[in-house]
Amino acid sequence: VDLGGGLKPPGFYVQRSCGLFPAPFPQDSEELERITKLFHFLGIFLAKCIQDNRLVDLPVSQPFFKLLCMGDIKSNMSKLLYQSRSSPPGHGPEGPHLQPLLSVVQSEASTEESQETYSVGSFDEDSKSEFIMDPPKRKPPAWYHGILTWDDFQLVNPHRANFLKEVKELAVKRRQILASKSLSEDEKNTRLQDLMLRNPMGSGPPLSIEDLG
């Protein structure tokens, strides 16, 4: 859709049915600084609109809006925006109203990645003593960790979400086959060879899990 009345080249305006969401960008790109400034300007612009009680026709997607609100949209917006206006000093968004939000984010951020285990045997002899005297400390999860769900991923990028979902299902089946005690080694190998990623469009040969490596 050319919103410029034929004055803008194709692709100048970006529109999506599910709304806009930031695309991943290479961290070593020369354009990263310019893009960071654009997002910084967008944040100031939206903050000023909220301060002046103005509506902005910005079609962001619901997952992106959840990131902006750091969680659930309906409950957090009412707590952080509306209740803070009638709160006394020290009890605004930086006070008790933010505590329920932080507890939700922190509770959802406990995943397998935050439960890393370290073994002394995995280090060489020279670093064992240093490891024992100063063991590595767990890194706190990122602020955005645990906010978005698989449904949000499906909405933002359905192609990759469907692919990863199929890979995950095949990985679960593979572990079940390898852990089965009722199957012989030949039967396990036969069933493992039947685990294939099939092209949803029907073109091209199927792909085995081992080929993905």
Side-chain angles (χ1 to χ4, degrees):
V1 178
D2 186 5
L3 302 180
L7 302 178
K8 302 297 183 181
F12 186 86
Y13 296 103
V14 179
Q15 291 185 338
R16 298 188 71 222
S17 59
C18 64
L20 301 179
F21 189 86
F25 215 78
Q27 296 301 297
D28 56 351
S29 174
E30 297 178 355
E31 294 290 322
L32 193 61
E33 183 177 357
R34 182 183 66 86
I35 294 177
T36 304
K37 291 181 179 179
L38 291 176
F39 272 95
H40 181 71
F41 168 78
L42 179 63
I44 297 177
F45 173 72
L46 292 179
K48 185 61 178 176
C49 291
I50 294 175
Q51 186 181 41
D52 295 343
N53 238 351
R54 298 181 180 272
L55 296 179
V56 184
D57 189 12
L58 186 64
V60 299
S61 61
Q62 183 173 349
F64 188 33
F65 200 46
K66 287 174 64 176
L67 286 178
L68 294 176
C69 298
M70 295 184 65
D72 182 59
I73 298 175
K74 296 180 180 178
S75 62
N76 291 341
M77 287 298 290
S78 61
K79 291 178 181 178
L80 295 178
L81 295 181
Y82 301 106
Q83 293 183 7
S84 61
R85 297 180 180 178
S86 59
S87 301
H91 293 75
E94 71 280 359
H97 292 305
L98 186 58
Q99 298 304 321
L101 172 61
L102 293 178
S103 62
V104 172
V105 175
Q106 293 174 357
S107 63
E108 293 179 350
S110 58
T111 58
E112 297 178 357
E113 296 179 359
S114 63
Q115 298 177 355
E116 297 178 354
T117 56
Y118 299 91
S119 174
V120 179
S122 61
F123 297 89
D124 52 25
E125 294 295 333
D126 296 335
S127 59
K128 283 184 179 180
S129 58
E130 182 180 355
F131 177 85
I132 296 176
M133 296 297 296
D134 187 17
K137 302 176 178 56
R138 293 180 178 177
K139 296 181 179 180
W143 66 268
Y144 54 82
H145 202 46
I147 296 180
L148 300 184
T149 63
W150 189 269
D151 294 334
D152 296 322
F153 187 27
Q154 181 78 28
L155 185 65
V156 173
N157 199 327
H159 178 71
R160 290 187 177 182
N162 293 332
F163 172 75
L164 293 179
K165 184 178 181 180
E166 187 176 356
V167 172
K168 183 179 179 180
E169 292 174 354
L170 289 180
V172 172
K173 293 179 180 179
R174 184 176 184 273
R175 287 196 297 265
Q176 292 176 351
I177 294 175
L178 293 176
S180 177
K181 298 181 180 179
S182 60
L183 298 176
S184 62
E185 292 298 328
D186 295 337
E187 292 175 339
K188 289 182 179 180
N189 293 331
T190 302
R191 296 197 178 188
L192 289 177
Q193 293 177 359
D194 294 336
L195 297 178
M196 294 287 181
L197 284 172
R198 309 189 184 279
N199 194 318
M201 303 300 295
S203 61
L207 188 67
S208 64
I209 299 182
E210 285 73 12
D211 295 335
L212 294 177

